[in-house]
Amino acid sequence: MTNINNINRSDFQYFPFHLVTPSPWPILLSFSLLTMAIGAVMYMHGYSNGGELLSTGFILTSFGMGLWFRDVIIEGTYLGDHTRQVQKGLQLGILLFIVSEVFAFLSVFWAFFHSSLSPAIEIGGVWPPQGITPLDPFAIPLLNTILLVSSGAFVTYGHHALIHGDRRGAILGMFLTILFAVIFTILQYYEYSEAAFTMSDSVYGSSFYASTGLHGLHVIVGTIFISVAFIRLINYHLTDTHHQGCEAAILYWHFVDVVWLFLFIAVYYWGGM
Amino acid sequence: MLSVALRAVRPVALRSARRASPSTAARALSTTASRLSGPAAPSIYGTGSKQGEVPSDETQATGLERFQLLGEMQGVDSFDLEPLDSSRVGTLADPIKVFSLDTERIVGCTGAPADSHELHWFTVRHDKTRRCPECGSAYALDFQGVAEEHDAHHH
């Protein structure tokens, strides 16, 4: 119970910001990422044990991230370190991160348009290149578009339910979002396995799989992000006014959805004409 | 050599371990920072949320967040983040008062009106009225905190 009569101002720190206690995760994660990067380069250039080093680095990175985020959840939900000012800082942080991701996708889109707007003579001076059978955009890609846009609607419904104290609605909304996200991923995997072209098939294959592949990785990350928010929602971590992690996941998911819309229009529809 | 030395201190070490008071008991090195950190803020909790309902901050917030929330509910700003009075230049006779919970506070001055000159930072202590090196505006500390002899934990 709040012992409101025993609280002295001097018992609490005078500023609202969170000075984090010493943590091993930043430096551990730093070395894990280095391991993963070197492993990836070794693997892609055929050096022996590259794959093993890549897997090791990936596992270390995943665990490092998990343990770091776990600490953030402990500090925010269980220790109460996340004052309004700290929350705003976290919100700004995730926003800037998403902006950086936008720039990453801009680069892949640039590469796509560079090769497709002025097709080289070596591929027949046409786009799609000679001999490439593109996917029908109005088959699975259109279904995937509907799935992602619907999942965006479901997550918005779930968020509003959370704000209005409707626990059942919030859980339902988040669950349907995750369900549709997983179905999207499964369908993309199926498309990848059945497509008539591979990543090695001219610049078309390179740009198609680089752009949709990068997007697919973001869908998987976004699904995990929403799932974590979903688990926290079930475990009563989130309140109707304080749920920064959930809002961050939702924002990330909308970003993933918008990138797909650009992909669908540019790469699938226009790029397949 | 080492085993002989260890054997020599063994009885002393065992004795102190058995007779361990909190300050001399053996602990893992990893707990040093936590143990020597000094007094922590009191734990403040709400009533907790009900099963099947979405919790609210009032029932669930804790720690500094709860402290801020309680202050807000009473109309009190817990952290004094508002800018200082920049409508006038402080004088030695009538300095600009700087609210502070500690015996000194860092002040940034850009003159009157605000943004008149480059930002200057300086520390205003409770025993001396400090003047801005550029515009001469005088600031005096309005100490509202608790006088502590041995300030073990820093705010």
Side-chain angles (χ1 to χ4, degrees), chain A residues 1-4 6-17 22 76-85 87 161-168 170 233 236-242, chain B residues 33 40-47 49-58 60-70 72 74 77-81 101-102 145-146 148 153-155:
Chain A
M1 204 46 221
T2 314
N3 51 341
I4 194 159
N6 306 349
I7 296 175
N8 296 313
R9 181 65 188 88
S10 56
D11 290 332
F12 292 86
Q13 68 179 38
Y14 297 153
F15 51 89
F17 306 108
T77 302
Y78 290 95
L79 296 177
D81 289 329
H82 290 181
T83 58
R84 234 173 271 295
Q85 285 76 12
Q87 288 175 46
L162 176 65
I163 292 170
H164 289 105
D166 175 11
R167 179 178 160 84
R168 201 175 155 275
L233 168 68
Y236 299 93
H237 285 203
L238 314 178
T239 74
D240 55 352
T241 50
H242 183 179
Chain B
S43 301
I44 47 174
Y45 302 108
T47 49
S49 50
K50 288 205 205 79
Q51 270 253 347
E53 284 182 11
V54 173
S56 71
D57 272 350
E58 216 205 308
Q60 195 156 289
T62 182
L64 195 67
E65 184 192 353
R66 182 169 199 82
F67 179 75
Q68 180 181 46
L69 186 76
L70 293 173
E72 265 173 23
Q74 294 172 6
D77 174 21
S78 315
F79 300 113
D80 186 39
L81 295 175
L101 290 166
D102 209 335
V146 173
E148 273 192 64
H153 72 126
H154 295 267
H155 297 284

Side-chain angles (χ1 to χ4, degrees), chain A residues 115-133:
Chain A
S115 301
S116 60
L117 280 168
S118 188
I121 193 70
E122 286 90 340
I123 55 172
V126 290
W127 192 276
Q130 207 80 41
I132 294 282
T133 315

Side-chain angles (χ1 to χ4, degrees), chain A:
Chain A
M1 204 46 221
T2 314
N3 51 341
I4 194 159
N5 299 317
N6 306 349
I7 296 175
N8 296 313
R9 181 65 188 88
S10 56
D11 290 332
F12 292 86
Q13 68 179 38
Y14 297 153
F15 51 89
F17 306 108
H18 182 204
L19 295 179
V20 292
T21 52
S23 167
W25 310 128
I27 192 156
L28 249 62
L29 196 60
S30 171
F31 282 106
S32 307
L33 281 166
L34 177 67
T35 307
M36 188 164 75
I38 292 178
V41 171
M42 283 171 67
Y43 174 72
M44 286 188 267
H45 289 267
Y47 286 86
S48 47
N49 305 121
E52 283 83 352
L53 200 64
L54 173 60
S55 307
T56 307
F58 177 74
I59 290 167
L60 285 171
T61 304
S62 305
F63 273 87
M65 286 176 72
L67 287 162
W68 190 340
F69 286 129
R70 174 182 171 266
D71 275 357
V72 177
I73 290 171
I74 290 170
E75 290 159 0
T77 302
Y78 290 95
L79 296 177
D81 289 329
H82 290 181
T83 58
R84 234 173 271 295
Q85 285 76 12
V86 173
Q87 288 175 46
K88 290 195 94 130
L90 291 165
Q91 195 176 52
L92 184 63
I94 189 72
L95 257 156
L96 291 171
F97 172 67
I98 290 173
V99 167
S100 77
E101 295 263 73
V102 168
F103 279 99
F105 274 97
L106 271 171
S107 68
V108 217
F109 273 95
W110 186 319
F112 167 74
F113 282 116
H114 174 91
S115 301
S116 60
L117 280 168
S118 188
I121 193 70
E122 286 90 340
I123 55 172
V126 290
W127 192 276
Q130 207 80 41
I132 294 282
T133 315
L135 300 164
D136 177 9
F138 297 107
I140 288 179
L142 182 62
L143 174 59
N144 277 343
T145 306
I146 293 168
L147 286 173
L148 277 189
V149 174
S150 304
S151 72
F154 284 132
V155 83
T156 306
Y157 168 75
H159 187 206
H160 280 256
L162 176 65
I163 292 170
H164 289 105
D166 175 11
R167 179 178 160 84
R168 201 175 155 275
I171 290 175
L172 183 66
M174 299 286 274
F175 172 75
L176 287 168
T177 305
I178 296 166
L179 179 69
F180 276 36
V182 170
I183 295 173
F184 172 94
T185 307
I186 291 170
L187 284 173
Q188 278 297 79
Y189 177 79
Y190 171 79
E191 276 265 275
Y192 272 28
S193 57
E194 293 294 308
F197 56 91
T198 70
M199 198 174 198
S200 321
D201 287 320
S202 90
V203 71
Y204 182 89
S206 300
S207 55
F208 178 89
Y209 286 106
S211 55
T212 61
L214 186 66
H215 176 261
L217 286 175
H218 282 71
V219 168
I220 291 168
V221 167
T223 308
I224 295 170
F225 205 167
I226 301 240
S227 301
V228 168
F230 179 62
I231 292 166
R232 294 186 68 199
L233 168 68
I234 291 178
N235 285 310
Y236 299 93
H237 285 203
L238 314 178
T239 74
D240 55 352
T241 50
H242 183 179
H243 44 263
Q244 283 303 315
C246 185
E247 289 186 348
I250 292 169
L251 205 55
Y252 194 85
W253 191 249
H254 287 318
F255 151 74
V256 161
D257 186 10
V258 169
V259 169
W260 172 260
L261 292 174
F262 278 96
L263 276 174
F264 181 73
I265 292 166
V267 176
Y268 284 93
Y269 178 65
W270 177 83
M273 278 193 327

